[in-house]
Amino acid sequence: MLELFRSFLTVLSEGSLNRAAAVLHITQPSLTRQMQSLEAHLGAPLLERQTRGVKPTALGNALVQQMQPVLERYDLALAELRRRARGQVLDLRIGYLGSAAQAYLNPALVALRAEHPTARVRLFDQSPGEQISALRCGEIDLALIGQEGSQLSHDFYTRRLATLGVCAVLASDHPLAQRSQIHAGDLEREALIAAPEAEVPGRNQWITKLCRKAGFRPRFVGEAATVAEAITRVAAEGAVLLLPAYLTHPPSAGVVLVPLTDAWARWDLLLLRQRGRASALVKSMENHLARIAHQ
């Protein structure tokens, strides 16, 4: 059907079926049959035959207004896909966890810019749930995500960048806040901050598994969609937040970070992308992130 629309636009551009047929490298009778097929499909005439050529009917003019932008967008999208297939794209879209940017993403971006100075990088500070949705829809090329991506290896190419420890975020006046380190079992009587499943899929299951290994069931209180919101609740309510240990300093006044010493208390930092051939720019960013994560 797209080719019929293209032929119709060529006929209008040339003003003649004969001239349009020559441009399209087909015979005039073949082009006439195409126009008759398009008119039959839409249910009304598109062209008025005149002694000096053809002109569009009212429906023909409406078809031009509706379909010309569609064909232009289609051609641009197809050209972009072909460039991506050849690995020639110099546009990179990255979804990331804001809390992981300083330690991993920012140094990798510096290295990428030195290697590809003309590349355009667009960054999206997104929750894990938003990253997964954007990756599925093709709105981002790379997702820098946490433990939440571990169940998606069948859907996406997944690469573990680093395995980190876990720390407890505590109010500065909490009884455990003065310790240099704690065991997961020390949190048995504490209220833990949960995460909404839509925003951070699998986070609560990960916390539950960690606590069960320590011999208790977690007691969740409320939910916090962002780290900033969760930390505010730590300070205000005295609840406990479990986070990967990529944070080396307290993110705000009134809270402290205390590492968990249990060997099995671990959190994976993962990189996700669509399966299949990746562009040179995507591969370069992936390799820079992996190198920095292992330093």
Side-chain angles (χ1 to χ4, degrees):
M1 187 59 67
L2 285 178
E3 292 311 312
L4 292 183
F5 291 137
R6 291 188 193 281
S7 296
F8 175 73
L9 294 176
T10 302
V11 169
L12 293 190
S13 174
E14 296 297 323
S16 161
L17 285 166
N18 284 330
R19 289 194 295 272
V23 169
L24 295 168
H25 303 291
I26 60 176
T27 65
Q28 190 270 335
S30 294
L31 182 57
T32 297
R33 287 193 293 273
Q34 285 186 7
M35 295 302 97
Q36 290 171 343
S37 174
L38 186 57
E39 289 176 332
H41 182 75
L42 294 176
L46 296 169
L47 296 168
E48 291 181 359
R49 276 70 174 177
Q50 300 180 343
T51 55
R52 295 187 178 180
V54 294
K55 295 209 175 205
T57 63
L59 181 63
N61 280 320
L63 176 62
V64 172
Q65 294 175 4
Q66 293 291 329
M67 291 308 301
Q68 194 160 29
V70 172
L71 289 171
E72 289 172 355
R73 288 195 298 270
Y74 172 83
D75 289 339
L76 287 173
L78 187 60
E80 172 72 8
L81 289 170
R82 285 172 173 163
R83 285 195 297 272
R84 287 182 179 274
R86 295 191 296 267
Q88 296 175 341
V89 177
L90 288 179
D91 181 39
L92 182 62
R93 303 159 302 171
I94 303 173
Y96 68 98
L97 295 168
S99 48
Q102 184 173 0
Y104 300 100
L105 183 58
N106 292 351
L109 289 171
V110 172
L112 183 75
R113 189 169 61 249
E115 185 178 359
H116 298 279
T118 62
R120 184 178 68 156
V121 179
R122 287 182 285 168
L123 302 174
F124 302 90
D125 185 352
Q126 297 173 317
S127 71
E130 290 171 335
Q131 288 188 61
I132 293 167
S133 177
L135 197 59
R136 289 193 193 281
C137 297
E139 296 171 354
I140 59 174
D141 304 299
L142 290 174
L144 187 60
I145 200 170
Q147 194 76 30
E148 300 77 25
S150 61
Q151 304 301 316
L152 300 170
S153 58
H154 292 297
D155 300 327
F156 305 109
Y157 167 84
T158 304
R159 181 170 180 175
R160 182 186 292 109
L161 297 176
T163 298
L164 307 172
V166 177
C167 65
V169 184
L170 306 168
S172 55
D173 60 353
H174 192 284
L176 299 174
Q178 304 308 312
R179 297 193 191 179
S180 60
Q181 57 188 23
I182 60 175
H183 296 288
D186 295 329
L187 302 175
E188 180 175 4
R189 299 184 181 279
E190 301 298 330
L192 302 178
I193 297 174
E197 183 66 19
E199 295 294 326
V200 195
R203 175 64 65 88
N204 296 336
Q205 291 91 323
W206 170 72
I207 295 174
T208 298
K209 184 177 178 180
L210 187 151
C211 293
R212 283 181 172 174
K213 282 190 175 182
F216 68 96
R217 291 178 177 271
R219 180 169 62 89
F220 290 113
V221 290
E223 291 183 343
T226 66
V227 172
E229 180 186 351
I231 289 173
T232 298
R233 296 194 65 169
V234 169
E237 302 171 15
V240 176
L241 174 66
L242 294 178
L243 285 180
Y246 49 64
L247 296 174
T248 56
H249 300 287
S252 63
V255 301
V256 297
L257 304 177
V258 181
L260 272 60
T261 59
D262 309 273
W264 37 262
R266 293 292 179 263
W267 188 91
D268 289 334
L269 177 66
L270 303 174
L271 179 143
L272 272 61
R273 62 172 169 82
Q274 293 285 358
R275 292 190 175 276
R277 182 181 177 184
S279 71
L281 195 60
V282 167
K283 289 295 294 181
S284 178
M285 188 63 185
E286 178 184 333
N287 291 334
H288 286 311
L289 282 166
R291 175 180 54 81
I292 289 165
H294 284 89
Q295 286 179 350

